[in-house]
């Protein structure tokens, strides 16, 4: 690109280098000759619009977005541009994936904090159009520059960032939850319902059971209030006044009880957990059930049946094992949580469940892929946490039976997945189990373990090769 100080001189040089006159370039670019003359010859020259910039770029053989950085500089050198022009520029940068330009625009605009509301409105508009991660800088700018602690747009911006930062990295999800949590009460009720459900799930994956119970109770109270308000409006023929949620309202109500029951189960409070199940076992009374709602009610009925059997098995009722197995064979979506409970009960009470595991061998070793876990009606992150737990408990089961090869294979699977999702607690337990039983590992298993440990050191930017070599031990 020829060196020049402004857009006009650069475009003029490009036109001349290609041998065009003004009339020819007007035809090639599809731009009005008079408009081109004002841009190139006016005194002062006219600033081109974004569409005009893109037309000139294409006519001269450049990609759309050519000279955008210089365009932004000239806009602000002349005067602070009108928000409408900046909004159009931001949107075009969004479309072209010019993230660095988005940040430059925001840095310039937010020298005037009065534009915070306009930036938020633009972000919400584009969010509805389907843009997601590209909007993070806009929401972050709102958070930094919003002057009112209880402003709804501040809470919504935190909520958007919380949701956009969700990934398969457990530690990152936890940090996002902690940052969002204080702002949940300022949200519109629909966003708050969605946010509480996500918070409960994240703390579930972190095995922070008191937090799970806390947010499950808060979710139940809010869902109950939303339901009663909706019923009241119907009775008074006020209609439905815009409760916007990602899921049917019955999901939030039912899940609040499911999460509380499961958290009690994880704390070994089995009797208490059983008493909760009746609250979501039959939700057919819930008003306003459309086809989607009816399907969710069926799921909760399935959850209840599964969890009753599950809890009896965990309480040591060995006579319920085959009933549970039959249920799992007829409800494939429950196989993963079901096997987890069966193996845990085997480890606690000394049950021999080898025949049961043989029935589900294919499921145990073939449900670890993301595509497989995503086909289930549990969230992928929720499922992968259970899959890690399953292989960790399988390792303990096989160690107790002195089946060391199977134990270590399960342990390595759990270790690998723990690394993938950055589940530090699971990784630490698995590593400890491996170290205690390392003498039983095959050379190939030791090498795999060694590669995992090297990967951890690499992530932490620690290089001890060649002196650190497990395979020589």
């Amino acid at each position: 690109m020829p060196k020049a100080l402004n857009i006009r001189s650069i475009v003029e040089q490009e036109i001349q280098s290609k041998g065009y006159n003004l009339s020819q370039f007007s035809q090639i670019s599809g731009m009005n000759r008079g408009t081109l003359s004002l841009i190139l010859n006016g005194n002062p020259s006219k600033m081109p619009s974004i569409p005009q910039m893109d037309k000139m770029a294409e006519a001269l053989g450049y990609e759309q977005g050519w000279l955008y950085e210089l365009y932004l500089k000239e806009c602000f050198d002349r005067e602070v541009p009108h928000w409408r022009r900046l909004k159009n520029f931001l949107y075009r940068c969004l479309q072209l994936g010019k993230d660095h330009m988005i940040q430059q625009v925001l840095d310039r605009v937010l020298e005037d904090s009065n534009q915070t509301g306009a930036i938020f409105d633009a972000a919400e508009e584009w969010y509805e159009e389907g843009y997601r991660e590209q909007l993070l800088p806009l929401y972050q700018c709102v958070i930094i520059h919003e002057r009112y602690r209880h402003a709804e747009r501040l809470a919504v911006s935190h909520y958007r960032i919380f949701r956009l930062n969700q990934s398969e990295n457990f530690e990152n999800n936890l940090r996002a939850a902690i940052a969002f949590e204080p702002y949940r009460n300022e949200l519109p009720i629909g966003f708050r319902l969605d946010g509480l459900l996500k918070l409960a799930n994240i703390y579930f994956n972190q095995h922070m059971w008191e937090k799970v119970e806390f947010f499950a109770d808060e979710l139940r109270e809010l869902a109950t209030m939303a339901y009663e308000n909706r019923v009241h409006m119907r009775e008074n023929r006020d209609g439905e006044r815009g409760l916007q949620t990602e899921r049917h309202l019955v999901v939030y109500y039912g899940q609040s009880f499911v999460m509380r029951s499961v958290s009690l189960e994880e704390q070994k409070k089995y009797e208490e957990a059983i008493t909760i199940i009746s609250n979501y076992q039959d939700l057919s009374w819930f008003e306003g059930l459309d086809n989607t709602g009816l399907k969710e009610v069926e799921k909760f009925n399935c959850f209840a049946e599964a969890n009753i059997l599950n809890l009896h098995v965990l309480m040591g009722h060995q006579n319920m094992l085959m009933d549970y197995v039959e249920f799992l064979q007829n409800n494939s979506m429950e196989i993963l949580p079901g096997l987890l409970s069966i193996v845990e009960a085997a480890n606690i009470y000394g049950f021999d469940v080898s025949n049961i595991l043989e029935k589900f061998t294919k499921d145990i070793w073939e449900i670890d892929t993301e595509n497989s876990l995503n086909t289930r009606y549990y969230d992928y992150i929720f499922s992968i946490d259970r899959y890690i737990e399953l292989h960790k408990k399988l390792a303990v089961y096989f160690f107790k039976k002195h089946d060391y090869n199977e134990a270590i294979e399960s342990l390595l699977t759990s270790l690998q997945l723990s690394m993938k999702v950055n589940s530090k607690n699971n990784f630490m337990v698995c590593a400890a189990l491996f170290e205690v039983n390392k003498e039983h590992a095959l050379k190939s298993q030791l090498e795999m373990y060694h590669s995992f440990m090297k990967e951890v050191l690499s992530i932490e930017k620690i290089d001890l090769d060649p002196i650190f070599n497990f395979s020589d031990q």
Side-chain angles (χ1 to χ4, degrees), residues 25-79:
F25 188 65
S26 172
Q27 290 180 345
I28 293 169
S29 65
M31 292 177 63
N32 178 273
R33 188 179 185 282
T35 301
L36 272 173
S37 182
L38 288 172
I39 293 171
L40 299 175
N41 303 318
N43 188 19
S45 62
K46 178 184 181 294
M47 279 293 293
S49 67
I50 295 300
Q52 289 167 348
M53 286 281 295
D54 289 338
K55 284 182 178 180
M56 289 190 295
E58 288 192 315
L60 292 169
Y62 292 100
E63 293 183 354
Q64 293 186 354
W66 179 59
L67 299 182
Y68 271 20
E69 293 196 33
L70 192 53
Y71 176 85
L72 180 62
K73 180 180 182 300
E74 288 191 29
C75 278
F76 278 91
D77 282 350
R78 295 189 180 199
E79 62 181 4

Side-chain angles (χ1 to χ4, degrees), residues 19-211:
Y20 301 142
N21 60 35
L22 197 62
S23 295
Q24 290 171 325
F25 188 65
S26 172
Q27 290 180 345
I28 293 169
S29 65
M31 292 177 63
N32 178 273
R33 188 179 185 282
T35 301
L36 272 173
S37 182
L38 288 172
I39 293 171
L40 299 175
N41 303 318
N43 188 19
S45 62
K46 178 184 181 294
M47 279 293 293
S49 67
I50 295 300
Q52 289 167 348
M53 286 281 295
D54 289 338
K55 284 182 178 180
M56 289 190 295
E58 288 192 315
L60 292 169
Y62 292 100
E63 293 183 354
Q64 293 186 354
W66 179 59
L67 299 182
Y68 271 20
E69 293 196 33
L70 192 53
Y71 176 85
L72 180 62
K73 180 180 182 300
E74 288 191 29
C75 278
F76 278 91
D77 282 350
R78 295 189 180 199
E79 62 181 4
V80 177
H82 190 277
W83 167 248
R84 185 173 63 182
R85 178 187 286 268
L86 286 173
K87 182 182 177 183
N88 291 338
F89 184 67
L90 269 173
Y91 187 60
R92 197 73 186 107
C93 291
L94 202 65
Q95 291 177 313
L96 297 175
K98 291 185 172 293
D99 297 344
H100 67 292
M101 290 300 303
I102 292 173
Q103 191 59 57
Q104 286 183 39
V105 176
L106 294 173
D107 290 342
R108 295 266 196 164
V109 171
L110 287 169
E111 293 172 4
D112 175 10
S113 60
N114 291 327
Q115 296 286 17
T116 304
I119 292 170
F120 173 78
D121 292 340
E124 287 292 279
E125 177 186 334
W126 298 333
Y127 190 94
E128 290 300 317
E129 290 185 21
Y131 292 97
R132 292 294 184 266
E133 286 77 12
Q134 307 98 308
L135 298 175
L136 278 169
L138 280 74
Y139 289 118
Q140 287 163 347
C141 278
V142 174
I143 286 174
I144 292 169
H145 294 275
E146 177 56 58
R147 290 176 292 182
Y148 302 104
R149 167 66 177 78
H150 298 289
E152 184 177 289
R153 66 187 175 213
L154 177 63
V156 172
S157 295
H158 274 286
Y159 170 74
R160 294 294 193 206
I161 291 173
F162 167 61
R163 295 299 306 274
L164 291 172
N165 278 328
Q166 295 303 295
S167 68
E168 62 180 29
N169 188 307
F170 284 19
E171 290 298 313
N172 287 349
N173 291 346
L174 178 60
R175 283 192 287 271
I178 292 170
F180 161 67
E181 189 179 316
Y183 297 91
R184 68 190 187 281
N185 292 329
E186 309 297 335
L187 287 171
I189 189 169
F191 286 171
R192 190 177 167 199
L193 285 166
D194 292 324
L196 288 171
L197 184 57
K198 282 292 182 183
L199 283 172
N201 283 332
I202 287 171
Y203 287 118
F204 184 96
N205 287 335
Q206 292 291 331
H207 302 176
M208 299 169 69
W209 308 121
E210 289 184 0
K211 296 283 280 187

Side-chain angles (χ1 to χ4, degrees), residues 247-397:
R247 312 283 296 277
H248 194 286
L249 184 57
V250 75
V251 172
Y252 305 101
Y253 182 81
Q255 271 306 122
S256 69
F257 289 106
V258 172
M259 297 300 288
R260 180 165 179 78
S261 175
V262 174
S263 68
L264 288 168
E265 172 194 319
E266 294 291 344
Q267 297 173 79
K268 317 299 182 189
K269 300 176 181 178
Y270 302 134
E271 295 287 356
E272 287 183 59
I274 285 179
T275 64
I276 303 294
I277 294 176
S278 61
N279 291 286
Y280 65 87
Q281 189 166 22
D282 181 7
L283 294 175
S284 59
W285 53 267
F286 206 91
E287 290 192 19
L289 292 173
D290 54 14
N291 288 336
T292 300
L294 288 170
K295 288 179 182 178
E296 297 294 351
V297 168
E298 289 178 13
K299 286 183 185 179
F300 283 120
N301 180 262
C302 181
F303 292 164
E305 186 177 354
N307 288 338
I308 288 171
L309 289 166
N310 167 61
L311 285 163
H312 279 295
V313 168
L314 288 172
M315 291 165 71
H317 302 158
Q318 191 171 5
N319 60 314
M320 301 294 287
L321 271 174
M322 295 319 297
D323 289 340
Y324 200 10
V325 169
E326 183 179 353
F327 173 83
L328 297 179
Q329 289 174 323
N330 294 324
N331 297 272
S332 61
M333 297 300 185
E334 290 295 325
I335 288 175
L336 175 55
L339 288 176
L340 179 57
S341 294
I342 287 171
V343 176
E344 182 175 358
N347 290 338
I348 295 171
Y349 303 107
F351 298 160
D352 186 342
V353 296
S354 298
N355 289 337
I356 294 174
L357 295 178
E358 286 179 11
K359 294 178 187 290
F360 296 103
T361 298
K362 182 178 179 181
D363 298 280
I364 291 171
W365 292 105
E366 292 189 4
I367 60 178
D368 63 331
T369 65
E370 184 169 348
N371 286 337
S372 175
L373 291 171
N374 274 335
T375 62
R376 300 166 185 273
Y377 48 51
Y378 294 110
D379 286 345
Y380 171 64
I381 289 296
F382 195 73
S383 295
I384 200 169
D385 178 61
R386 284 180 157 175
Y387 195 70
I388 291 168
E389 283 289 319
L390 172 60
H391 276 283
K392 188 168 67 177
K393 293 182 188 302
L394 279 170
V396 173
Y397 176 77

